[in-house]
Amino acid sequence: MKAVATHFGISEALKILGIKETNEGTSTGCDSFSSTENVIESVSPVDGKLIASVKTTTKGDYEKVMQAATSAFKIWRVMPAPQRGEIVRQFGGKLRKKKEALGKLVSYEMGKSYQEGLGEVQEMIDICDFAVGLSRQLHGLTMHSERPGHRMYEQYHPLGVVGIISAFNFPVAVWSWNTALAWVCGDVCVWKPSEKTPLCGIACQNIIAEVLKENNLPEGISCLINGDYKVGEYMTKDNRIPLISATGSTRMGKIVAQEVATRLGKSLLELGGNNAIIVTPDADIKMTVIGAVFGAVGTAGQRCTSTRRLIVHDSIYDKVKNAVVDAYKQLRIGNPLDENNHVGPLIDKDAVKMYQQALEKVVEEGGKIIVEGGVLSGEGYESGCYVKPAIAEAEPEFEIVQHETFAPILYLLKYSGDVENAIDIQNNVAQGLSSAIMTNNLREAERFLSHAGSDCGIANVNIGTSGAEIGGAFGGEKETGGGRESGSDAWKVYMRRQTNTINYTTELPLAQGIKFDL
């Protein structure tokens, strides 16, 4: 393994972020609400070492957190939105100062490359900038009343406490997408990060806690709870939380949606993806290879937008296949803190097992492995979480191809005829998050983007499926959940809409000409 190419180690990063390396536990967020009963251990998939143990949240702890959050909401909601935006601006400033340390923790605790870790923190900074501007643009709508002397308009008010459940693969960015917008909208937030990356949650909580303390604001504006799905259930069943934003698997999302729906709460769901790139005869092969390879192996295939399927026209199939296979030969797998490596580890050994089962399944169904996978061992791979990115030739209807496997496995699929056939193959899965087409044919591109084209929430032309800019709304359809986060008008989900009518006359005319004289 090559030397780590950063100027300080993980121990120093933890110190900068206010996290103690200890087996006795660190805070769940609000220090006064932490418990000593149970802990979860954060073990790095990079080297298999214990980073720290984190106290889990008991039901009693949770009640104290909710009391703090609901109390803080009464103060926070009446602050002018631009003032709330100023707090978010300060938070973004803190992130800029601690970007390198937080990016390193993200890389070490989750396993993505250090550059991806830095990129994730930059997303946090970017969404803070977006939210600061948004704080001066929270708008309503004025419309004409049918009654003379009346004015009618719509306005938006804060919802209250927003519950956030995030996944391990983006342990800090997705929380920031939600919380930065929720904060400027006047909401307070309670966050349950993944139990696989709890230290990233504590680091973020420590940073915002500094900002709140410096501004003499209640800590309940941002609260953290830690634990497994049972802790998440505290929020999903809580009538005091009008909105649950949950990111994770489709299986998890269905459970959350059903539970929240029983109390008529709102859910914002960002769930699974089974993303495809269509490659037409008019595609730029070099661009295709870059987009497909990064999409398939970036974050070791553990992005919800990772490229799972490459749908290639039969006339160029062999050419594209050979180019992608050759590109895979150049991949370097190893410690993600070494910037010379392309692919880091999977999150844990359970993920490794699912990866192995998927490769076995595609062969059982009649597929052919053309880039062999496998688990790496030996020096530098002691954690047992490093796997080889694999490529398999398959058929669209294979069960395993219809399923999302959170690992670096790319399925090559062949289509013939016109682009409509490729779009049908792409859309014929349960998920609908991200999609892309590689073509220099304007008609094909526009067909792909039309109402009869891609059924995904994200549709790109000559760009891969992986990644998204914070300025656009992020999310997908079908079993991806239908939620939208980040940019555009995604802020509206964090607010309640109210219609107002003002009568400025001395009479009370009724709607639809009804007469009711007294």
Side-chain angles (χ1 to χ4, degrees), residues 132-448:
V132 172
L134 177 64
S135 70
R136 294 181 181 272
Q137 300 180 67
L138 298 174
H139 57 80
L141 179 67
T142 299
M143 66 283 289
H144 289 281
S145 170
E146 66 184 40
R147 289 170 285 186
H150 286 61
R151 181 167 67 89
M152 187 163 61
Y153 66 96
E154 289 182 347
Q155 60 179 332
Y156 288 84
H157 297 300
L159 275 176
V161 180
V162 171
I164 302 169
I165 301 172
S166 64
F168 73 86
N169 59 331
F170 280 85
V172 295
V174 171
W175 167 72
S176 70
W177 290 358
N178 284 274
T179 202
L181 299 192
W183 281 337
V184 298
C185 288
D187 301 318
V188 299
C189 297
V190 178
W191 177 28
K192 193 200 88 65
S194 170
E195 61 269 32
K196 298 180 181 181
T197 51
L199 298 180
C200 287
I202 289 175
C204 292
Q205 179 67 21
N206 288 344
I207 295 171
I208 186 58
E210 289 180 17
V211 176
L212 297 176
K213 185 176 182 180
E214 290 168 1
N215 288 272
N216 196 30
L217 289 168
E219 63 179 351
I221 292 169
S222 179
C223 291
L224 188 73
I225 58 176
N226 270 305
D228 59 15
Y229 72 94
K230 294 179 182 178
V231 174
E233 287 178 349
Y234 296 158
M235 291 197 296
T236 59
K237 295 180 178 180
D238 195 335
N239 285 320
R240 295 168 293 182
I241 301 181
L243 172 66
I244 296 290
S245 175
T247 303
S249 68
T250 296
R251 181 193 63 80
M252 178 276 290
K254 289 180 178 179
I255 294 171
V256 170
Q258 291 173 18
E259 189 64 53
V260 175
T262 61
R263 59 180 178 84
L264 298 181
K266 296 202 296 183
S267 298
L268 192 170
L269 301 176
E270 295 290 351
L271 310 176
N274 193 349
N275 316 295
I277 298 177
I278 294 172
V279 188
T280 80
D282 288 316
D284 182 313
I285 302 300
K286 181 178 180 181
M287 289 176 61
T288 297
V289 172
I290 293 172
V293 174
F294 176 74
V297 309
T299 323
Q302 296 174 115
R303 293 186 177 207
C304 51
T305 56
S306 291
T307 305
R308 311 288 178 200
R309 299 172 294 147
L310 196 61
I311 305 169
V312 187
H313 194 270
D314 56 9
S315 65
I316 57 168
Y317 181 84
D318 289 337
K319 184 177 182 180
V320 172
K321 178 178 74 172
N322 293 336
V324 173
V325 169
D326 286 344
Y328 267 52
K329 296 175 183 178
Q330 303 172 43
L331 296 176
R332 292 186 294 272
I333 309 166
N335 189 329
L337 293 173
D338 180 348
E339 296 177 55
N340 293 302
N341 290 323
H342 300 114
V343 185
L346 293 177
I347 186 64
D348 55 26
K349 292 182 180 179
D350 287 339
V352 172
K353 185 180 298 184
M354 287 189 290
Y355 158 86
Q356 293 173 309
Q357 291 172 345
L359 290 177
E360 293 171 0
K361 179 69 172 176
V362 72
V363 173
E364 288 176 8
E365 293 193 68
K368 178 182 178 182
I369 305 294
I370 58 174
V371 172
E372 293 290 336
V375 182
L376 297 170
S377 60
E379 184 180 358
Y381 305 120
E382 291 85 356
S383 70
C385 296
Y386 291 88
V387 302
K388 299 177 183 177
I391 302 177
E393 292 183 298
E395 297 296 330
E397 64 272 13
F398 284 2
E399 181 183 351
I400 192 61
V401 174
Q402 296 283 317
H403 176 73
E404 178 191 40
T405 301
F406 235 48
I409 301 175
L410 178 65
Y411 301 113
L412 292 191
L413 311 176
K414 188 183 297 184
Y415 83 95
S416 58
D418 58 26
V419 73
E420 280 81 1
N421 295 330
I423 294 172
D424 287 343
I425 293 172
Q426 179 208 274
N427 291 346
N428 191 30
V429 294
Q431 310 84 0
L433 178 53
S434 187
S435 60
I437 188 170
M438 293 293 183
T439 182
N440 288 322
N441 184 309
L442 177 62
R443 290 177 176 174
E444 289 179 333
E446 290 295 334
R447 177 68 175 78
F448 177 74

Side-chain angles (χ1 to χ4, degrees), residues 66-80 84 158-161 186-188 217-218 220-221:
M66 283 302 299
Q67 289 172 16
T70 53
S71 176
F73 175 59
K74 295 177 182 178
I75 297 172
W76 187 242
R77 68 183 177 184
V78 296
M79 284 183 63
R84 297 193 296 257
L159 275 176
V161 180
D187 301 318
V188 299
L217 289 168
I221 292 169

